[in-house]
Amino acid sequence: MAIQIGDTIPNFKAKDTHGNDFDSHQIIGKKPLVIYFYPKDNTPGCTAEACSFRDQYQDFQDLGAEVIGISSDSVASHQKFSKQYQLPFLLLSDADKTIRHLFGVPSSLFGLLPGRVTYVTDKKGVVTMIFDSVMGAKHIAKALEAVKKLQ
């Protein structure tokens, strides 16, 4: 079942951009989160989305929020992608799609592509916004607006 507004995000673990173990318990309860699921590293839409989050990252930081990107790409792919575009936030590798299924992220384009969904949580991990759109560039403004409402 898909996560809904008002739900607390489930605990999840993954390898991050640096190959380190990431556990959501390390961050939930400390700050608001913007967790965005995207289809694939180095594709035009996903690159534009990642670069837009990069360009506005300081705005999220100034509001006390952290941004985390998740796709099924490998840690090596994330490292290359992150380095090439100088991404200041973590990317998590969800190779077996466990986290995607845990959140209930739907597929898009008739099930051919992994979906693109952004979740914003308050610092307790309660979901305050869900934005599902294939238009990656629209996610950043929606997420920033939702984080500002938490202030």
Side-chain angles (χ1 to χ4, degrees):
M1 180 151 159
I3 288 177
Q4 305 290 318
I5 290 174
D7 290 348
T8 300
I9 61 167
N11 184 49
F12 59 90
K13 296 177 183 182
K15 291 284 186 189
D16 70 17
T17 317
H18 311 291
N20 298 321
D21 291 324
F22 174 89
D23 184 332
S24 62
H25 274 158
Q26 297 167 329
I27 200 164
I28 295 171
K30 296 187 171 96
K31 57 176 61 177
L33 291 176
V34 176
I35 300 172
Y36 79 97
F37 288 85
Y38 65 101
K40 188 150 182 59
D41 291 344
N42 291 303
T43 56
C46 296
T47 299
E49 181 178 26
C51 289
S52 293
F53 270 119
R54 174 199 66 203
D55 295 346
Q56 302 250 213
Y57 184 65
Q58 191 59 51
D59 295 332
F60 287 102
Q61 290 280 281
D62 289 348
L63 293 166
E66 189 53 66
V67 175
I68 299 171
I70 303 175
S71 79
S72 58
D73 293 295
S74 68
V75 169
S77 176
H78 281 340
Q79 286 173 341
K80 184 179 175 192
F81 185 55
S82 185
K83 184 177 180 181
Q84 181 176 358
Y85 295 102
Q86 300 173 348
L87 305 179
F89 49 85
L90 287 179
L91 298 178
L92 300 180
S93 177
D94 185 29
D96 60 4
K97 299 181 175 73
T98 300
I99 304 168
R100 187 172 284 279
H101 292 306
L102 196 59
F103 276 69
V105 177
S107 295
S108 61
L109 278 176
F110 311 106
L112 299 174
L113 289 176
R116 183 185 309 275
V117 180
T118 297
Y119 299 84
V120 173
T121 73
D122 65 14
K123 75 178 201 178
K124 294 178 183 170
V126 176
V127 177
T128 61
M129 186 214 74
I130 299 171
F131 185 66
D132 181 350
S133 171
V134 295
M135 305 301 292
K138 293 186 176 188
H139 288 249
I140 292 78
K142 291 281 189 186
L144 198 53
E145 182 183 315
V147 170
K148 283 178 181 174
K149 288 180 182 174
L150 296 174
Q151 300 304 305

